[in-house]
């Protein structure tokens, strides 16, 4: 019998983000007899912790919830974490000799682009290095072409959409670099969405007479919830009755909540906060709206397609691929005006969405869980 491949996977935490969800779905579908996996988290926290299979060894640098505020009593703890994690990043030998007990890995895997330097800075020179890029880096602050080129230090660069693949291909200087790039659609479990969607809606009541737009995601500026609320206000002022439901949590939550009050839309817009099952809300809403400024490959559209929702999406990386170039949903200009036009169309001409619903009826996803897992494991096996 061949020896199990020893793999170190690194990610910040297992909080409620797309990349975290995708990683855990992937781990749940891996054959445990082939690999020995250490999952190293900077912070032992997040809703997906409980879903990690028990054969995977979880190691962490710090424990506790993420500190996103600057409350005086939390600053010492936050500072201690930053110093500790920064020291281990600067002197990786301390980490590998200490926490990782001098273990030798065959593969070291950055599960998000933010772990690039930690993996490339590993003292293990013989291990193969992989990164999984979930974001359109051309839209992420600080990622100049030179910064993005550093990813070619990896043996394999897994990307989740055509747009990210193209970005890297354009920056590659030779065939060797081009061959490192491989596109893999996110492993997502459609059965799970459909089963969870059957559960009851809690803490919210849908009104059958008033159209509701739902948007689900981590509350970051990237997601454009500020634009969504401003458009909501504008449409209400023009006499279009509707509701907006935002499901998710994140460091921008209080700012968006404050904006909602300033716009005087507290009666019609609801911020539900985080729920580990957004699917019943999806199912009951009339429209799904993606108001993001940028994305890597918006997993949430995959969920909306699976639940056969009428979809409006800003033109972000992955939107054309997901929505079959606009056959499965309305793709709008990536601006506040674009969001306004899209929502106004939904409210004033709902019949224009029937063609999307028709297409969605018998639509089969071109990417599925088994294919994605198979493709990733074949990369691991060949390295």
């Amino acid at each position: 019998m061949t020896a199990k491949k020893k793999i170190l996977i690194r990610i910040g935490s297992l909080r409620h983000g797309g990349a975290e969800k995708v990683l855990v779905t992937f781990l749940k579908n891996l054959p445990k007899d082939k690999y020995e996996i250490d999952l190293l988290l900077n912070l032992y926290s997040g809703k997906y912790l409980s879903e990690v299979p028990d054969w995977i060894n979880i190691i962490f640098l710090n424990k506790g919830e993420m500190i996103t505020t600057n409350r005086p009593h939390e600053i010492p703890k936050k500072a201690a974490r930053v110093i500790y994690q920064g020291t281990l990043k600067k002197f990786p030998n301390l980490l590998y000799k200490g926490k990782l007990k001098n273990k030798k890995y065959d593969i070291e895997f950055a599960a998000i682009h933010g772990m690039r330097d930690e993996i490339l800075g590993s003292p293990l020179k013989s291990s193969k290095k992989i990164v999984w890029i979930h974001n359109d880096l051309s839209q992420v602050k600080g990622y100049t072409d030179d910064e993005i080129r550093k990813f070619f230090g990896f043996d394999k660069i897994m990307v989740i959409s055509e747009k990210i693949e193209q970005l890297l291909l354009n920056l590659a200087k030779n065939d060797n670099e081009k061959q490192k790039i491989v596109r893999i659609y996110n492993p997502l479990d459609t059965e799970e969405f459909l089963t969870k969607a059957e559960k009851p809606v809690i803490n919210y009541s849908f009104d059958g007479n008033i159209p509701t737009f739902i948007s689900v995601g981590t509350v970051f500026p990237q997601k454009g919830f500020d634009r969504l609320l401003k458009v909501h206000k504008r449409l209400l002022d023009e006499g279009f009755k509707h509701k907006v439901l935002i499901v998710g949590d994140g460091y921008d939550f209080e700012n968006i909540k404050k904006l909602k009050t300033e716009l005087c839309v507290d009666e019609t817009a609801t911020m539900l906060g985080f729920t580990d099952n957004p699917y019943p809300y999806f199912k009951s809403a009339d429209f799904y709206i993606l108001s993001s400024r940028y994305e890597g490959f918006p997993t949430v559209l995959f969920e909306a397609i699976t639940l056969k929702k009428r979809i409006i999406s800003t033109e972000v990386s992955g939107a054309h691929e997901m929505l079959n170039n606009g056959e499965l949903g309305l793709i709008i200009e990536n601006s506040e005006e674009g969001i306004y036009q899209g929502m106004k169309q939904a409210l004033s001409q709902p019949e224009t969405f029937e063609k999307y619903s028709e297409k969605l009826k018998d639509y089969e996803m071109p990417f599925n869980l088994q294919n994605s897992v198979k493709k990733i494991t074949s990369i691991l096996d060949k390295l």
Side-chain angles (χ1 to χ4, degrees):
M1 194 177 148
T2 47
K4 289 184 183 183
K5 274 206 167 170
K6 292 183 175 59
I7 303 174
L8 175 69
I9 300 177
R10 293 201 64 174
I11 194 164
S13 71
L14 291 178
R15 61 174 186 77
H16 37 277
E20 291 81 358
K21 164 97 180 150
V22 162
L23 174 64
V24 172
T25 303
F26 167 63
L27 294 175
K28 280 170 29 183
N29 288 278
L30 268 186
K32 62 177 173 185
D33 52 351
K34 282 176 72 170
Y35 310 105
E36 187 182 304
I37 294 178
D38 285 345
L39 176 61
L40 175 58
L41 309 173
N42 281 2
L43 192 58
Y44 185 84
S45 81
K47 66 162 267 203
Y48 296 121
L49 274 173
S50 59
E51 293 186 36
V52 176
D54 53 12
W55 62 273
I56 288 169
N57 178 32
I58 301 179
I59 304 165
F60 54 88
L61 303 184
N62 292 107
K63 205 165 183 164
E65 283 312 302
M66 201 170 173
I67 303 170
T68 53
T69 56
N70 283 320
R71 294 191 190 108
H73 69 281
E74 290 178 336
I75 288 173
K77 192 174 177 183
K78 195 174 177 178
R81 279 181 188 175
V82 171
I83 292 164
Y84 176 60
Q85 292 180 17
T87 305
L88 292 181
K89 186 173 173 176
K90 202 171 171 189
F91 304 105
N93 279 322
L94 296 174
L95 172 67
Y96 282 74
K97 286 196 169 95
K99 284 262 178 205
L100 300 178
K101 302 178 178 149
N102 269 329
K103 194 164 168 184
K104 297 284 176 268
Y105 295 99
D106 301 303
I107 295 171
E108 294 186 84
F109 190 160
I112 48 169
H113 69 267
M115 283 288 162
R116 177 193 70 190
D117 299 348
E118 282 82 342
I119 294 291
L120 290 181
S122 158
L124 301 180
K125 297 301 165 220
S126 62
S127 73
K128 297 290 184 187
K129 316 275 194 296
I130 311 180
V131 62
W132 203 346
I133 301 179
H134 296 266
N135 273 72
D136 176 3
L137 296 176
S138 65
Q139 302 294 318
V140 180
K141 218 168 106 183
Y143 279 91
T144 57
D145 286 357
D146 287 345
E147 271 302 304
I148 297 171
R149 273 203 45 79
K150 290 180 185 171
F151 286 95
F152 288 109
F154 285 91
D155 297 286
K156 277 287 174 206
I157 305 165
M158 301 194 325
V159 298
I160 62 168
S161 76
E162 218 171 275
K163 192 169 178 197
I164 306 173
E165 181 180 33
Q166 210 41 64
L167 169 73
L168 283 153
L169 284 170
N170 293 341
L171 291 174
K173 292 198 169 154
N174 52 49
D175 284 344
N176 178 37
E177 287 188 347
K178 283 181 181 165
Q179 276 157 10
K180 292 181 173 189
I181 306 161
V182 52
R183 177 169 23 129
I184 294 175
Y185 288 120
N186 277 338
L188 294 159
D189 193 341
T190 45
E191 286 311 309
E192 183 195 1
F193 307 154
L194 295 167
T195 311
K196 284 184 165 179
E198 295 307 317
K199 298 267 194 303
V201 164
I202 330 167
N203 298 335
Y204 189 77
S205 58
F206 285 92
D207 181 338
N209 303 314
I210 300 177
T212 301
F213 293 84
I214 187 172
S215 201
V216 180
T218 314
V219 187
F220 290 165
Q222 167 194 343
K223 299 295 180 187
F225 293 136
D226 54 329
R227 310 196 287 188
L228 178 59
L229 289 178
K230 285 173 188 166
V231 168
H232 171 52
K233 167 72 171 162
R234 188 173 157 190
L235 288 165
L236 287 174
D237 289 348
E238 289 175 15
F240 291 102
K241 273 189 159 179
H242 67 291
K243 288 185 170 183
V244 165
L245 174 62
I246 295 172
V247 180
D249 197 1
Y251 67 74
D252 217 24
F253 190 87
E254 290 306 319
N255 291 334
I256 298 294
K257 206 169 144 189
K258 198 171 137 212
L259 175 67
K260 183 165 75 81
T261 306
E262 284 167 3
L263 292 168
C264 305
V265 292
D266 283 335
E267 291 300 307
T268 49
T270 305
M271 292 184 72
L272 199 68
F274 174 70
T275 166
D276 56 5
N277 184 11
Y279 307 114
Y281 301 91
F282 256 103
K283 197 178 164 202
S284 302
D286 300 278
F287 295 92
Y288 184 82
I289 179 143
L290 184 88
S291 55
S292 295
R293 290 181 163 88
Y294 63 91
E295 286 284 345
F297 198 65
T299 307
V300 72
L301 288 184
F302 179 96
E303 298 170 350
I305 291 166
T306 304
L307 297 166
K308 315 237 179 271
K309 288 284 96 186
R310 292 185 283 181
I311 299 166
I312 303 167
S313 169
T314 48
E315 192 166 357
V316 287
S317 164
H320 281 281
E321 271 165 283
M322 283 289 218
L323 296 173
N324 254 4
N325 291 317
E327 274 193 358
L328 305 176
L330 177 65
I331 300 173
I332 51 174
E333 184 188 281
N334 189 346
S335 65
E336 202 171 302
E337 185 57 31
I339 295 167
Y340 167 76
Q341 294 297 346
M343 288 175 74
K344 187 176 175 180
Q345 182 180 325
L347 294 167
S348 58
Q349 302 165 285
E351 68 283 357
T352 57
F353 281 78
E354 280 166 19
K355 59 181 184 206
Y356 305 128
S357 302
E358 273 305 307
K359 283 276 186 208
L360 281 171
K361 258 187 202 153
D362 309 307
Y363 182 68
E364 283 287 320
M365 288 285 177
F367 26 91
N368 63 36
L369 184 61
Q370 283 68 33
N371 290 350
S372 299
V373 173
K374 213 157 83 189
K375 205 163 170 187
I376 301 169
T377 52
S378 80
I379 290 172
L380 297 176
D381 297 344
K382 282 177 190 158
L383 279 176

